[in-house]
Structure formats: C-alpha cells, structure tokens
Amino acid sequence: MIKIIHIVAGGPEKLVPDLSEYQDENIIWVGVDKGVQMIIGAGLRPDIAVGDFDSILEDEWKRIERLVPSLRKFKPEKDETDMELAIMWALEMNPTSVRIFGGTGGRLDHFMANALMLGKYKQENPNVTFELIDVQNILSVHLPGGYDVKGDEERKFISFIPIFSDVYGLTLKGFKYPLNNHHVPTGSSLCISNELIHETGHFSFEKGILMMIRSKD
C-alpha cells in the first residue's frame, strides 16, 4: 500500500505552496511546531503534531490539542531538531514517500540542516523518496543508479549538486548541457541551471549522493 507522509514545518508561510493541492486520501499530515497551524489553516486535518512548540501561544496550543488527534511534545533542550524528530516518526510508519513543506527560507541554518538530513536518511532508507518543496523549488536526493526526469514547464531549471562527497560517473541525456561519465567534485557549480531539451531526460551516476533541484524563476 502506498503511504505518503507530508511534513509541514514553520518556515515562512509565503514560501509554502497551497497545501490543499497536495491533499489525497492516502496522505498522512505531520505538523512540526508552527507548521501544524499551516495545515489547519489550509483546511486540512493534521494526523500528528511534533515538536517542542516553544513558539506556540497558550490559546494556540489549546486549539492544537482540540484539533490534532496525536501530539508528541518534547523539551526544547534536546539533541534533534523538531524536523528530525518528525522525519524519524515518519520513517517508523514505513512510508514510500516523505515530502517536506515549510522547510526553506527564513533561518539558513534550519534550511541547510533540513536539506542535508534528506541525504542522511536517504542513505539509511534507499526505497523511500524524499522531497523538500516550496513555491519555487523541489529538492530531492538520489543514490547511485539511473533516473528518468519528466519535463515541467513551471520548474524548467534543473541543477545537480553532490553532497557529502564527490559524484562519479554522472551522465546526463536529453539535457541542454549533456555529460558522459563525468566526475563532479563537491562544491562544483558545473551542473547548476541545466534544462531538458526533450519531454523526458535521463541521469545516472555510479558513486556518491546527488541532490537534484528543480526550480522556476
């Protein structure tokens, strides 16, 4: 059975897409701290709320207690961020896909931690699809192998960024700037802002972890 978990954090609301467009009967909604209020504000029902909720006012907390069937409240002094606690809970549910909203913009340290966490948990859960989504970008992480990429007129710019280590054997087919069995060092800007020239492209690599970002201007 397909199980998709949507995690909504408390990032800037202007960067969060219309969550109602991502609703489906198979979706499990997880609110992280203030993110639970974004879910409720979109007319959706959170299944669980996770975090220390140190930024939630007392009357807001009473509303959350009334509307959210499951609450996991932690002390502010802890080793994991609220987001990581939410991801850890999500993975206990054996999902096929984890999508994160409200995890970009605002504090740069939170964004970097969220993006790099996807790489960490992808290594530990290779069969789970991880995405970080905002109004302008979709970020995903990939392990060695081959992948098809469908065209998207809205987010036509595609970038590939090695994380944690260099990427080896990167091949891009159907792209404006193709590559063949290329070594891409960590920190390289070689694969920034590429585009598809056909309806479908393909990328593959042999070693490393690759972050793909699909963006619109």
Side-chain angles (χ1 to χ4, degrees):
M1 178 180 177
I2 295 176
K3 187 181 292 184
I4 300 173
I5 298 181
H6 286 175
I7 300 175
V8 183
E13 194 166 356
K14 66 181 180 180
L15 296 180
V16 178
D18 183 353
L19 297 178
S20 65
E21 296 181 357
Y22 292 85
Q23 171 66 332
D24 184 271
E25 61 181 11
N26 295 318
I27 301 297
I28 296 173
W29 289 95
V30 182
V32 178
D33 204 74
K34 291 191 299 183
V36 68
Q37 297 187 96
M38 292 192 200
I39 299 174
I40 295 170
L44 304 172
R45 181 179 181 273
D47 295 282
I48 183 172
V50 177
D52 54 38
F53 303 101
D54 57 353
S55 59
I56 299 293
L57 301 176
E58 185 177 353
D59 60 332
E60 294 172 334
W61 177 246
K62 290 180 179 179
R63 184 184 184 214
I64 291 170
E65 285 186 308
R66 187 174 71 254
L67 295 176
V68 183
S70 180
L71 300 172
R72 288 198 172 190
K73 190 174 184 180
F74 298 85
K75 294 181 179 179
E77 299 80 16
K78 56 188 183 304
D79 293 334
E80 300 86 2
T81 63
D82 291 344
M83 174 61 76
E84 186 162 18
L85 291 170
I87 293 175
M88 292 166 64
W89 178 87
L91 292 172
E92 292 176 4
M93 301 297 105
N94 298 313
T96 56
S97 177
V98 175
R99 294 174 178 150
I100 297 172
F101 306 86
T104 64
R107 286 182 53 172
L108 189 58
D109 55 343
H110 285 177
F111 165 68
M112 292 296 294
N114 293 340
L116 295 177
M117 263 195 292
L118 297 193
K120 168 191 172 182
Y121 284 107
K122 180 64 176 181
Q123 290 180 87
E124 299 173 0
N125 304 270
N127 295 324
V128 179
T129 299
F130 293 91
E131 293 179 314
L132 183 59
I133 302 172
D134 64 23
V135 294
Q136 191 169 1
N137 311 279
I138 298 177
L139 183 156
S140 57
V141 288
H142 303 271
L143 301 179
Y147 304 87
D148 291 326
V149 183
K150 294 183 179 180
D152 183 340
E153 284 298 319
E154 188 176 20
R155 296 181 178 90
K156 66 178 183 178
F157 300 107
I158 305 175
S159 298
F160 297 96
I161 302 173
I163 57 174
F164 304 144
S165 64
D166 295 1
V167 162
Y168 294 88
L170 179 61
T171 296
L172 304 178
K173 297 180 179 179
F175 286 81
K176 184 177 181 179
Y177 306 108
L179 288 176
N180 183 40
N181 196 31
H182 204 84
H183 167 215
V184 185
T186 306
S188 170
S189 62
L190 173 68
C191 298
I192 299 297
S193 200
N194 210 331
E195 298 178 47
L196 291 174
I197 56 174
H198 302 296
E199 289 186 5
T200 303
H202 185 86
F203 71 94
S204 62
F205 61 106
E206 299 172 356
K207 184 180 179 181
I209 302 177
L210 200 59
M211 182 179 292
M212 180 176 73
I213 304 176
R214 307 195 66 165
S215 305
K216 62 181 178 180
D217 277 336

